[in-house]
Amino acid sequence: MSPNRYMVLVKFKSQELADEFYINYNGTQFNSIEPNICHLVYVAQVDFRKESEGGAVPIPGLIELPNCPVCLERMDESVDGILTILCNHAFHGNCLKKWGDTSCPVCRYSQTPEESGENSCFECDSTESLWICLICGHVGCGRYVEGHAYRHFAKTNHTYSMQLSTGRVWDYVGDNYVHRLIQNKEDGKLVEMDERSQRVNDEKLDSLTLEYTYLLTSQLESQRRYFEERITAVELECADKIAKTEHRLDSMVDLKATEGQDIQTLQKSKEYFEKKCEQLSTQYKKVLNQLQEEQAMNRSLLNNQQHWQSAVQRLEEDKQKQEKELKDTQEQLRDILFHLEAQNKLSSENTGLDAKELEDGQISVGASSTPQSRRRSRRKK
């Protein structure tokens, strides 16, 4: 292996997890600054050998040197000074000096933040006595306002918080200010510097080193418990959601089966009603044709009825006219018979009247005679 590379052996619980890890991280960069690419391979077997059998172990006391994010060169303390800033990123002193900005070249965290109107507490939107967590960047108000910064520490166990207005760092575990923390070049541990940037004596340094080692250990342990609790809560929540989803899925499957049966029943009912509708439609068309035929027949009968009514009316008029003519004819015939009868009677009685007297004679008709009889007598004269 080259000095700037290292190898890690990772064991997974299942083949699916190994495949997912391989798909997500093989051939990807470790970060956006370093050009190194992660290469993954499957390991079928691992053999362990003792030192007596030719096995080798890492040399104790040697560690791999990190790269400077600015110049990408190895950060060797014997060649150039190393400076670790508040966000725990380390750089060459000259590289960070040339950066020309107060923000971190990696995470853009401002090393000298100033309180402004844009900064406010994440919970209560207060702009007074603001403190920022140096681990996650949470901004909260001081304990003399609403105490959200301290509540954040109590919830997450993030120990260090910096006041935005003064830039001073507060240690919630030690309950005091930590003026400046730097990294010791000998062992890489955090040590405290006084206000004149001079290192404290060895005895105090040992006590501080022991204290900070304990604090960092407790911090990491609390962080481990915190994230384990979070993972457990998330797993329980996911399990609950999965159970609810499975229950809802089973309900939906049962509902789908019931709806399938209902659909089949409705399909059969649909087919039955379609056939019934076709039959009714056929009957309707048949009845409609019969109705049209009957209406045509009724119109024809109505026309015939009107024609025959006209004919009957004409016949009745002709009948009345004929009856009137017949009546007149009967009256004329009776007058003629009466005239002949009178003439015969006069001839048989032989009254000695000559023809001239008879012609000049006059016949008197009683009162019971009708006006038509008088008209006939006039005609006889």
Side-chain angles (χ1 to χ4, degrees), residues 32-45:
S32 60
I33 297 178
E34 298 179 358
N36 297 331
I37 297 177
C38 177
H39 298 280
L40 300 179
V41 293
Y42 289 97
V43 178
Q45 185 178 357

Side-chain angles (χ1 to χ4, degrees), residues 40-238:
L40 300 179
V41 293
Y42 289 97
V43 178
Q45 185 178 357
V46 179
D47 295 331
F48 294 94
R49 294 184 182 182
K50 299 180 180 179
E51 294 183 7
S52 60
E53 297 176 356
V57 294
I59 301 176
L62 296 181
I63 59 174
E64 184 179 358
L65 296 177
N67 293 332
C68 176
V70 178
C71 65
L72 304 180
E73 297 293 338
R74 292 292 179 182
M75 291 190 295
D76 190 356
E77 297 178 357
S78 61
V79 177
D80 195 359
I82 298 176
L83 180 62
T84 302
I85 59 178
L86 293 176
C87 56
N88 205 25
H89 289 135
F91 306 90
H92 288 137
N94 295 330
C95 295
L96 190 61
K97 183 178 180 181
K98 295 177 182 179
W99 181 250
D101 192 358
T102 58
S103 61
C104 174
V106 178
C107 63
R108 301 301 179 184
Y109 172 71
S110 179
Q111 305 302 313
T112 57
E114 296 180 358
E115 192 171 14
S116 63
E118 298 179 357
N119 295 325
S120 60
C121 178
F122 287 176
E123 281 75 16
C124 63
D125 295 331
S126 175
T127 58
E128 298 179 0
S129 183
L130 298 180
W131 296 77
I132 183 169
C133 177
L134 297 182
I135 296 177
C136 65
H138 176 272
V139 178
C141 56
R143 63 183 67 188
Y144 299 107
V145 182
E146 294 291 339
H148 290 123
Y150 181 79
R151 295 179 188 177
H152 174 73
F153 157 70
K155 182 179 179 181
T156 62
N157 288 330
H158 292 170
T159 305
Y160 300 108
S161 181
M162 185 181 69
Q163 191 174 11
L164 293 179
S165 60
T166 61
R168 294 187 297 177
V169 179
W170 178 263
D171 180 11
Y172 285 104
V173 175
D175 198 21
N176 57 1
Y177 282 105
V178 180
H179 301 294
R180 186 174 181 185
L181 292 177
I182 63 173
Q183 187 177 15
N184 187 10
K185 292 184 179 181
E186 296 178 358
D187 52 8
K189 296 182 180 179
L190 295 177
V191 296
E192 184 180 9
M193 301 294 291
D194 57 12
E195 296 179 355
R196 295 173 294 178
S197 299
Q198 295 181 358
R199 186 172 175 178
V200 297
N201 54 39
D202 295 337
E203 183 179 357
K204 188 174 182 180
L205 176 61
D206 292 338
S207 62
L208 289 175
T209 301
L210 181 61
E211 180 182 0
Y212 283 120
T213 301
Y214 173 75
L215 290 178
L216 290 176
T217 303
S218 62
Q219 179 82 5
L220 292 175
E221 183 67 21
S222 62
Q223 286 294 308
R224 183 185 64 81
R225 291 196 300 268
Y226 170 74
F227 284 110
E228 286 180 353
E229 292 176 357
R230 290 291 302 274
I231 291 173
T232 303
V234 171
E235 289 178 351
L236 294 176
E237 184 179 358
C238 292

Side-chain angles (χ1 to χ4, degrees), residues 1-2 4-10 30 39 41 43 64:
M1 295 294 292
S2 59
N4 60 346
R5 295 179 182 272
Y6 55 90
M7 181 183 295
V8 177
L9 182 63
V10 183
F30 291 96
H39 298 280
V41 293
V43 178
E64 184 179 358

